[in-house]
Each structure stands twice: as C-alpha cells, then as structure tokens.
C-alpha cells in the first residue's frame, strides 16, 4: 500500500501506527484487493479496519476476470468503474439500521485509477463467520436483513446510485441479450424489464445479494451485508430471488421457497412504515417474484447458457411469465 494511503488510514482511524495484513480477497476481474489493516494506539481501541483498495487494471490486464472471456470488453470495464463509484457514494451518503447492518465507512478516497474505502472490520463487531452453505436459521437471518433493508429504503430515490439496481439489469446487459438464442424470452425481455421497473412499490436493492456477501454472527442468527457495487432502485424481489438462488439447491427450490418467501414478507411487514398499504405491497411483490427470477434467467442465458443456476425450476417460472404476457 502506498505511503499516502497508509497516512490516510492513520488519519481516518486516529491510530498511531498500522500494520498491513495479508489480502483477504481479490476483487472480481483483477480490480484490486480487500486488505485487513491492524491498528495501534486508537483512542476508541479499534484493533483493525478493512480497506477495499480498487485499482483499475490496464487494458492489457482487463481480461483477467471470472467472466467468460468474450465479456471482457470496454463496456464491461466502464460498468465496473461506475460500480465502484456507486459503492463509494453509498458508503459516504447512506446508512442503515441495526436490523440490516453494514460496515461503517471511516473514509473514502479516489485518485485517477484508484479508490480506497476504509471500512469497519465486521470480524471485530461480531460478524466473523462466512458461509458457503447455510441452514434454515441462517437463510432466514439473511431474508430478515433483506426485508429490513427494503423496508428502510421503501420509496427512497436512489440518488447517486444505479437508477436500476442489480448487476444484470437489462440496460447494462444488451450484449448478453444479443447473444441469447432467438426465442420468446429474448423477444419479451424488454417487456419483463419494463414491468419490473414500473412497480408501484420501489425500494433500494442491494443488487448482488448472494450468500458470499453476508457475514454471520457465531450463532448464525444475525448477519451484516457487504459489497454495494450494484446498489440501486428497484423491486425488492430482485434481491430475494438472487439470494435464494445462491443458497438453495435447484432440486429443493419448489419445496422450500414458498415458506421462505412467506417469512420474508412477515419480516417486511415489521420493517415498513405503518402508513404503507402493506397488503398492496405484498400482492405486487408476490406477483413480481416470477418476473424477477425470469429476468435473472434472461441474463444467464446470454452470459453463460451452461450455468448451473439455469434449472427446471427457473424454466418453469419463465414459462409461467411468458404465458402470462401472452394473455
């Protein structure tokens, strides 16, 4: 880490000295690293912070990505650049509640092709567990987080964020749409997108609410959310379908999702203002569940049609949506 960035950490934390730890994670596509920085001499006794250090790769290195190589384009690069601008703005301007915790931002700094976000270390605040698979209690903890997040921001304009949240929304994925095989879903993609975007009840969505972006307490009953590159406006079902798809096996979706969706709405009822017509909200978002899942399926079928998330369950929902649009 450059000396001036180390000085920024010292200034933001009030530490007398710091020690740079090993990288915790490489950012997607070679766009930087997440690093734990150990602190000494903080007035508040804080032992460490997490630094998200974004450094845009040169054009020659932009192909070092987890995406199929055909998608490592200038358009893809500009989308990632915008995503980190959005995330930095999110941490500077937005805050959440105890029911949907996120790391506190101590400072941000951008210069040329680099951005630094100095964040509270969630390991220190009790969210030191990561999961690659989850039980029912842990799934419900994440759904509760999403419900309270959506309830908190219901009706809030996504100022400085993506106008339409999620990394797969159609306006930013026209190349993937073009790559899809011709068929009804490709033809109706714009209509599905329009219906989702014209929901009466809009909130701010996390935009990448997969299991890997939740940090758990030791009990698994509480979580905190991270990674806000694609936070923006939209229907809350987009986050819900993406989260459920990230942690429930394809052959279990039909059996398990109805009760989990019911739990989400129970938590959402608690989270929203009493002035909200909750019955109308629930009815609309319930009707958008299949549309949101089909919208994500549209992205996958263009981006990587062999992806494991394309399943019998998702195909069934897509057929349901397309049949509804015909009537």
């Amino acid at each position: 880490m450059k000396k001036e960035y180390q000085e920024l950490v010292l200034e933001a934390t009030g530490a007398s000295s710091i020690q740079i730890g090993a990288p915790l994670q490489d950012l997607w596509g070679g766009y930087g690293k997440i690093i734990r920085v150990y602190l000494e001499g903080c007035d508040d006794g804080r032992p460490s912070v997490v630094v998200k250090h974004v450094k845009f790769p040169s054009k020659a290195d932009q192909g070092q990505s987890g995406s199929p190589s055909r998608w490592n384009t200038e358009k893809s690069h500009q989308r990632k650049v915008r995503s980190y601008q959005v995330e930095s703005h999110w941490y500077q301007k937005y805050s959440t509640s105890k029911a949907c915790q996120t790391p506190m931002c101590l400072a941000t700094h951008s210069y040329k092709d680099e951005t630094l976000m100095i964040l509270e270390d969630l390991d220190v605040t009790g969210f030191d567990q990561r999961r690659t698979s989850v039980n029912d209690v842990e799934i419900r903890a994440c759904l509760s987080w999403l419900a309270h997040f959506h309830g908190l921001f219901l009706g809030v304009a996504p100022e400085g964020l993506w106008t339409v949240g999620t990394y797969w929304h159609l306006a930013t994925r026209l190349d993937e749409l073009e790559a899809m095989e011709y068929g009804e879903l490709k033809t109706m993609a714009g209509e599905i997108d329009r219906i989702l975007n014209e929901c009466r009840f809009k909130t701010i969505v996390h935009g990448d609410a997969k299991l890997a972006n939740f940090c758990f307490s030791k009990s698994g009953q509480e979580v905190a959310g991270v990674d806000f590159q694609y936070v923006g406006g939209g229907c809350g079902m987009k986050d819900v379908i993406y989260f459920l798809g990230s942690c429930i096996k394809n052959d279990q979706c039909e059996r398990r999702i109805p009760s989990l969706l019911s739990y989400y709405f129970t938590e959402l009822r608690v989270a929203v203002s009493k002035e909200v017509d909750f019955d109308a909200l629930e009815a609309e978002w319930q009707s958008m569940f299949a549309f949101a899942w089909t919208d994500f399926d549209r992205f996958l079928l263009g981006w990587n049609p062999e992806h494991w998330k394309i399943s019998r369950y998702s195909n069934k929902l897509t057929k349901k949506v397309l049949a509804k649009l015909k009537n």
Side-chain angles (χ1 to χ4, degrees), residues 47-60:
S48 58
V49 291
V50 169
V51 175
K52 191 166 188 175
H53 183 190
V54 181
K55 185 173 183 180
F56 302 135
S58 65
K59 286 192 175 183

Side-chain angles (χ1 to χ4, degrees), residues 260-281:
L260 293 171
L261 193 57
S262 177
Y263 177 77
Y264 166 82
F265 281 111
T266 298
E267 290 292 291
L268 185 63
R269 184 184 288 273
V270 173
V272 300
S273 164
K274 301 302 181 186
E275 298 172 0
V276 172
D277 183 348
F278 185 79
D279 290 342
L281 166 61

Side-chain angles (χ1 to χ4, degrees), residues 26 107 112 180 234 241 311:
D26 290 330
K112 292 186 178 179
M180 285 179 68
I241 68 96
S311 65

Side-chain angles (χ1 to χ4, degrees), residues 8-161:
L8 184 65
V9 174
L10 287 167
E11 181 181 350
T13 61
S16 58
S17 64
I18 62 173
Q19 180 180 345
I20 311 301
L24 301 174
Q25 180 183 329
D26 290 330
L27 298 179
W28 182 268
Y31 279 67
K33 297 180 183 297
I34 298 176
I35 304 163
R36 177 169 283 116
V37 177
Y38 297 95
L39 312 173
E40 291 185 8
C42 281
D43 292 337
D44 61 4
R46 189 190 304 271
S48 58
V49 291
V50 169
V51 175
K52 191 166 188 175
H53 183 190
V54 181
K55 185 173 183 180
F56 302 135
S58 65
K59 286 192 175 183
D61 293 332
Q62 284 174 24
Q64 305 304 310
S65 167
S67 302
S69 59
R70 66 188 296 191
W71 304 123
N72 296 320
T73 63
E74 180 60 22
K75 188 179 293 186
S76 170
H77 171 66
Q78 291 303 324
R79 184 171 57 247
K80 292 186 183 76
V81 170
R82 170 64 177 149
S83 79
Y84 288 116
Q85 293 169 345
V86 164
E87 184 172 36
S88 181
H89 183 81
W90 161 266
Y91 278 125
Q92 291 177 72
K93 301 297 184 181
Y94 290 81
S95 61
T96 58
S97 69
K98 183 174 173 57
C100 50
Q101 291 196 58
T102 60
M104 179 172 57
C105 181
L106 303 180
T108 66
H109 175 77
S110 295
Y111 181 70
K112 292 186 178 179
D113 63 346
E114 294 185 71
T115 295
L116 219 66
M117 296 172 237
I118 303 171
L119 306 171
E120 177 182 43
D121 187 348
L122 290 173
D123 278 18
V124 173
T125 59
F127 299 98
D128 59 348
Q129 304 292 304
R130 309 296 180 264
R131 297 285 188 268
T132 55
S133 62
V134 277
N135 60 34
D136 198 63
V137 169
E138 292 160 343
I139 291 174
R140 287 171 183 256
C142 295
L143 288 173
S144 177
W145 188 98
L146 288 173
H148 285 271
F149 186 86
H150 296 154
L152 179 65
F153 292 109
L154 190 68
V156 175
E159 295 181 7
L161 311 177

Side-chain angles (χ1 to χ4, degrees), residues 60 201 216 280:
F201 295 97
F216 292 78

Side-chain angles (χ1 to χ4, degrees), residues 28 67-68 71 79 166-170 172-180 185 189 242 292-307 309-310 318:
W28 182 268
S67 302
W71 304 123
R79 184 171 57 247
T166 75
Y167 70 80
W168 63 87
H169 79 267
L170 184 60
T172 64
R173 294 292 187 169
L174 296 178
D175 288 345
E176 288 84 351
L177 178 67
E178 181 62 28
M180 285 179 68
L185 180 53
Y242 188 63
W293 203 300
T294 299
D295 183 57
F296 181 62
D297 224 33
R298 173 268 309 159
F299 162 70
L300 287 180
L301 286 165
W303 182 71
N304 182 6
E306 303 301 318
H307 199 282
K309 287 186 181 180
I310 301 170
T318 296

